[in-house]
Amino acid sequence: QVQLVESGGGLVQAGGSLRLSCAASRSIFEINTMGWYRQAPGKQRELVASISSGGSTNYADSVKERFTISRDGTKNTVCLQMNSLKPEDTAVYYCNAKYWTNYKFISDWGQGTQVTVSS
């Protein structure tokens, strides 16, 4: 199992920025895909952004041009830079790691970090 620890959430006004970090307990280059998901009250968890071991990125349409996912292999960290935040970005943000081990496909989650955007 990969341990994932998120940090960087908080309260920000609309138009502001936050940077989330996710520290993994193993090399992120051994993980097929790392991503950020979010879940707002009463809604399903949704993908925000992901990055593959090869460096390919994917974003939800609602965050394109505002959010950027990046990684630091020396620190085994994946970050999500969030700019131009909107009240609808308010949610608990979860880090996720997807990988194969012993012929099994594993999906591990962090504990989540709250992001609140005030209008």
Side-chain angles (χ1 to χ4, degrees):
Q1 184 179 10
V2 176
Q3 309 297 324
L4 301 169
V5 180
E6 301 108 329
S7 61
L11 173 64
V12 64
Q13 288 188 332
S17 298
L18 281 174
R19 184 176 179 85
L20 306 183
S21 293
C22 172
S25 60
R26 64 186 281 188
S27 171
I28 60 174
F29 296 113
E30 297 176 356
I31 298 171
N32 294 83
T33 305
M34 290 202 66
W36 286 96
Y37 289 71
R38 67 186 181 187
Q39 187 166 20
K43 295 188 177 181
Q44 288 189 332
R45 191 172 297 188
E46 62 176 359
L47 174 68
V48 176
S50 65
I51 185 166
S52 72
S53 56
S56 298
T57 58
N58 182 45
Y59 295 92
D61 288 342
S62 60
V63 305
K64 285 180 179 177
E65 309 300 329
R66 299 190 298 124
F67 291 10
T68 302
I69 190 169
S70 62
R71 62 185 180 179
D72 184 341
T74 63
K75 299 179 180 179
N76 291 330
T77 299
V78 173
C79 294
L80 184 69
Q81 178 66 42
M82 305 185 294
N83 299 327
S84 302
L85 283 161
K86 305 175 181 180
E88 51 264 44
D89 294 318
T90 296
V92 178
Y93 284 69
Y94 297 90
C95 183
N96 174 262
K98 291 183 172 59
Y99 56 97
W100 289 91
T101 185
N102 296 327
Y103 305 103
K104 294 182 180 179
F105 186 73
I106 306 296
S107 180
D108 288 330
W109 295 91
Q111 80 285 357
T113 186
Q114 177 70 46
V115 171
T116 303
V117 184
S118 63
S119 57

